Amino acid sequence: MRPEGHPPAPHGRVGVLLINLGTPDAPTAPAVRRYLAEFLSDRRVVEIPPIAWQPILRGIVLNTRPKKSAHAYGLVWTEHGSPLAHYTRSKAEKLQSSLGDGVMVDWAMRYGSPSIADKLTAMMAAGCDRILLAPMYPQYCAATTATANDKAFAVLSGLRWQPALRTLPPYYDDPAYIGALKASIERAVAGLDFAPDLILASFHGMPQRTLALGDPYHCHCQRTARLLGEALGREVRIAFQSRFGRAKWLEPPTDQVLRALPGEGIRKVAVVAPGFSVDCLETLEELAIRGRQSFLQAGGSDFAYIPCLNDGDDGIALLRGLLARELAGWVAPS
């Protein structure tokens, strides 16, 4: 029996927090500026000493990039707002309905809102004393997976009563992940009015030095592409997009590959982005819009962008299986 005056101490629930990268609150320059200021100040994202980087960020980047990026966000913004936020929220809602009342499923963004701090605090208040952190990145990278976990750990470091914690491992070569990608791609290709000469898998780029420093991201991407090609029974070529700054980045660059393909006789291409769990600016604007323009202007005849798994049945079934495995011992199998 609780002694008189004892503070409330809800407990006994399990929490699952889906964590994605982040998005501005609106497709406007001020909103993008706030988002970029947080994102590009993360030492995991930009590994330049702050004393050298912050003057560049505050003096140049945040005064030139927000307007251009806001225009790009405006091209992909929907009635639901940011595609990345919409699909991440929808994933959480669909998983909640399938996992039952004993598990609280929620979502957060590493940068912007809803914040990891707010969501973890709400989970604790709801009685979650066991929490699975689930960064939505199939391939591990310090600039994505690690910084999401870092933020959660920092929040918990300030708590008197900490929950037991687990983190979702990368699943870049998990048969269920490869199977979900295969099914999604085959269904999309079957609905096209042309037969692609090539499937191009575009992953988010990272500076080349991250590979030399021991980050497994490049290797994870290569393995995903190889396994996907084997599953599809056809070539899947790999490329890396979203370069920023003057440093050498992982190669080959997606934009250059798309411009070069027609010269190789590849005039019909389908592009997929296996490293993104949901569609976002980098897939819908950079690939589906600018990538298409680059390919067609270089002499290509047909271009298709194949959407991410998003909140479709394949993606939800994949996550349900991954989460069930990581929740073993906390939640009874359904």
Side-chain angles (χ1 to χ4, degrees):
M1 181 177 293
R2 182 183 301 169
E4 184 178 352
H6 192 285
H11 64 284
R13 297 187 71 189
V14 172
V16 174
L17 186 62
L18 309 184
I19 304 174
N20 223 320
L21 188 75
T23 176
D25 295 323
T28 63
V32 172
R33 186 175 295 108
R34 288 192 298 271
Y35 168 71
L36 290 179
E38 182 181 8
F39 173 48
L40 296 177
S41 291
D42 188 341
R43 295 294 303 279
R44 289 279 199 184
V45 173
V46 180
E47 297 182 276
I48 300 173
I51 194 171
W53 169 242
Q54 283 297 319
I56 298 173
L57 175 62
R58 305 288 170 176
I60 301 175
V61 177
L62 294 181
N63 287 314
T64 58
R65 192 169 178 183
K67 184 177 181 180
K68 180 179 179 180
S69 294
H71 172 73
Y73 275 107
L75 296 176
V76 304
W77 215 255
T78 74
E79 60 181 324
H80 304 291
S82 159
L84 184 144
H86 166 65
Y87 286 124
T88 305
R89 177 175 57 247
S90 181
K91 278 178 181 284
E93 292 171 350
K94 291 185 176 184
L95 287 167
Q96 178 67 82
S97 65
S98 66
L99 291 176
D101 294 337
V103 179
M104 178 180 178
V105 183
D106 212 336
W107 62 287
M109 295 296 176
R110 171 60 183 88
Y111 315 103
S113 60
S115 72
I116 293 173
D118 287 348
K119 292 296 187 170
L120 283 178
T121 301
M123 282 188 161
M124 290 288 290
C128 295
D129 52 19
R130 290 162 291 172
I131 297 176
L132 171 63
L133 302 177
M136 294 285 93
Y137 311 111
Q139 297 77 24
Y140 176 94
C141 182
T144 53
T145 311
T147 190
N149 290 336
D150 284 349
K151 189 65 175 181
F153 300 155
V155 172
L156 298 185
S157 71
L159 297 181
R160 171 67 62 178
W161 183 6
Q162 293 182 333
L165 204 64
R166 293 178 180 175
T167 62
L168 179 67
Y171 49 94
Y172 59 97
D173 61 352
D174 192 291
Y177 166 61
I178 300 300
L181 291 175
K182 174 179 181 291
S184 175
I185 293 169
E186 288 182 338
R187 186 164 51 250
V189 168
L192 297 176
D193 59 2
F194 68 94
D197 299 323
L198 176 72
I199 303 291
L200 179 67
S202 181
F203 294 86
H204 199 289
M206 292 293 164
Q208 180 72 29
R209 66 187 297 270
T210 62
L211 174 59
L213 290 172
D215 197 306
Y217 178 72
H218 180 263
C219 301
H220 286 186
C221 294
Q222 293 285 352
R223 183 163 174 80
T224 294
R226 180 175 65 79
L227 291 175
L228 182 56
E230 292 174 358
L232 291 170
R234 61 181 299 166
E235 179 187 7
V236 172
R237 196 178 299 187
I238 191 171
F240 295 92
Q241 63 184 89
S242 308
R243 291 171 294 163
F244 175 74
R246 298 180 179 178
K248 184 176 178 62
W249 283 60
L250 296 178
E251 295 183 338
T254 300
D255 54 352
Q256 293 181 16
V257 170
L258 286 171
R259 288 194 293 268
L261 288 178
E264 300 176 25
I266 297 173
R267 302 184 65 246
K268 302 176 182 181
V269 68
V271 179
V272 64
F276 296 85
S277 61
V278 299
D279 278 308
C280 56
L281 179 74
E282 285 79 7
T283 63
L284 299 175
E285 191 273 338
E286 186 175 354
L287 293 179
I289 297 177
R290 282 192 283 137
R292 175 189 299 274
Q293 292 172 347
S294 295
F295 181 70
L296 297 180
Q297 289 173 0
S301 62
D302 297 274
F303 177 99
Y305 168 69
I306 298 175
C308 296
L309 294 176
N310 292 325
D311 60 347
D313 292 344
D314 293 328
I316 296 301
L318 166 64
L319 269 182
R320 190 186 300 117
L322 294 174
L323 296 178
R325 182 173 64 201
E326 299 308 318
L327 292 172
W330 281 2
V331 177
S334 58

